[in-house]
Amino acid sequence: METGAGLVKSGALAAPLRRFGALLLDTLYPPVCLSCDAPVATADALCTACFMKLRAISAPMCPVLGLPFEVSLGPGALSAEAIADPPPFDRARAAVVYNDIARALVGKLKYGDRPELARFCARLMAQAGRELWGPDAVLVPVPLHRSRQFARRYNQSTELARTLSRLTGVPVDPQLVIRGKKTKQQVGLSRDARQRNIAGAFQPSAAMRSRLRGRRVIIVDDVVTTGATVKAVTRALKAGGAERIDVMSFARVVVGSDA
Ligand SMILES: [Zn+2]
């Protein structure tokens, strides 16, 4: 429409028009909670009740595994898990404890085709992982096997990494590591079975060394459970020449957490 186009081009009127557009959209599709569909004030958010159920992970925490400590153990003190079984990566951080509400969000993120959920999760991850971001880093989402990606048409880790990249300025390279072996779903497997299932599932891509160019890698995943998957990706990255590797997830299992 001639008049409409003229109005949009005019700088003074563009902003009010956009606000009117947003208002109109909100009236037609009022924003709802990403978890329970209760009405909320702004899009891409949880209602207060659901938000209160999320358990953000913050200091004090294990500097290696990012596990929250009840009380501060002093600078540099590691968790018992990190001492007993040192991981192949340098640091892992997660935004929230994997509890019922986090499980519901991740479930929707994986299967529900809800891009606004990736925005919500990535905002919390950008905040929780702030010590990891830097100009020397690259984000590497945990790849799905080709057939699974084809069936689902969506890799939640890639969506999280892309959104995180927009928020942090750290670039994404989904091609550094490939998933060669098709594995069983990790859900329902014991810790040992998970490790056996995932071992050797990932390989560095043929072009990894030239693509990496000495950068630090940050592996991005939705949930870290036993860590078997991110450890397997770390080993593939090391085989391809990466030396510094961190892990950023939306949620992580915290054993003994009451949530
Ligand atoms: Zn809610």
Side-chain angles (χ1 to χ4, degrees):
M1 197 168 75
E2 196 67 62
T3 347
L7 275 177
V8 176
K9 270 185 211 141
S10 137
L13 280 168
L17 202 66
R18 262 200 307 277
R19 273 200 294 279
F20 175 71
L23 199 69
L24 191 68
L25 268 179
D26 282 356
T27 315
L28 293 174
Y29 304 101
V32 293
C33 170
L34 293 169
S35 178
C36 73
D37 291 343
V40 285
T42 53
D44 307 348
L46 289 180
C47 72
T48 312
C50 288
F51 196 78
M52 297 291 281
K53 289 185 213 151
L54 271 184
R55 292 226 2 237
I57 297 177
S58 56
M61 65 172 83
C62 170
V64 172
L65 291 179
L67 290 166
F69 289 148
E70 295 283 322
V71 291
S72 176
L73 303 178
L78 301 185
S79 58
E81 291 89 335
I83 295 168
D85 185 15
F89 49 77
D90 299 315
R91 297 172 289 182
R93 295 292 179 267
V96 300
V97 172
Y98 191 52
N99 61 8
D100 287 347
I101 182 88
R103 185 177 297 114
L105 290 176
V106 167
K108 288 188 180 190
L109 182 70
K110 251 182 203 161
Y111 304 106
D113 203 14
R114 305 265 303 259
E116 69 274 26
L117 256 169
R119 287 197 291 272
F120 173 82
C121 297
R123 278 203 301 274
L124 296 187
M125 291 164 80
Q127 176 68 19
R130 57 198 177 280
E131 59 190 308
L132 306 183
W133 321 134
D136 60 331
V138 58
L139 302 173
V140 173
V142 171
L144 289 176
H145 187 266
R146 273 196 317 279
S147 61
R148 190 159 286 151
Q149 168 117 23
F150 185 73
R152 212 187 272 167
R153 291 198 302 264
Y154 185 79
N155 177 353
Q156 72 279 2
S157 299
T158 306
E159 288 311 307
L160 287 175
R162 289 210 171 109
T163 317
L164 205 46
S165 174
R166 282 197 288 276
L167 296 170
T168 61
V170 181
V172 187
D173 191 340
Q175 313 291 339
L176 286 185
V177 174
I178 51 171
R179 191 164 194 152
K181 185 174 114 184
K182 194 174 177 198
T183 51
K184 284 185 270 189
Q185 297 261 25
Q186 294 280 74
V187 175
L189 298 180
S190 72
R191 192 182 181 91
D192 284 352
R194 276 171 185 257
Q195 256 159 30
R196 281 196 303 276
N197 184 38
I198 207 80
F202 304 96
Q203 289 92 42
S205 70
M208 182 176 151
R209 252 170 232 277
S210 58
R211 294 178 76 106
L212 184 65
R213 298 192 302 275
R215 285 176 296 178
R216 182 166 57 89
V217 175
I218 305 169
I219 301 170
V220 177
D221 206 357
D222 52 352
V223 184
V224 168
T225 310
T226 62
T229 302
V230 290
K231 285 177 188 170
V233 175
T234 300
R235 291 194 185 99
L237 285 163
K238 288 201 162 167
E243 286 172 3
R244 294 170 302 151
I245 300 160
D246 297 313
V247 175
M248 185 71 220
S249 65
F250 169 62
R252 75 157 297 146
V253 169
V254 177
V255 177
S257 151
D258 54 355

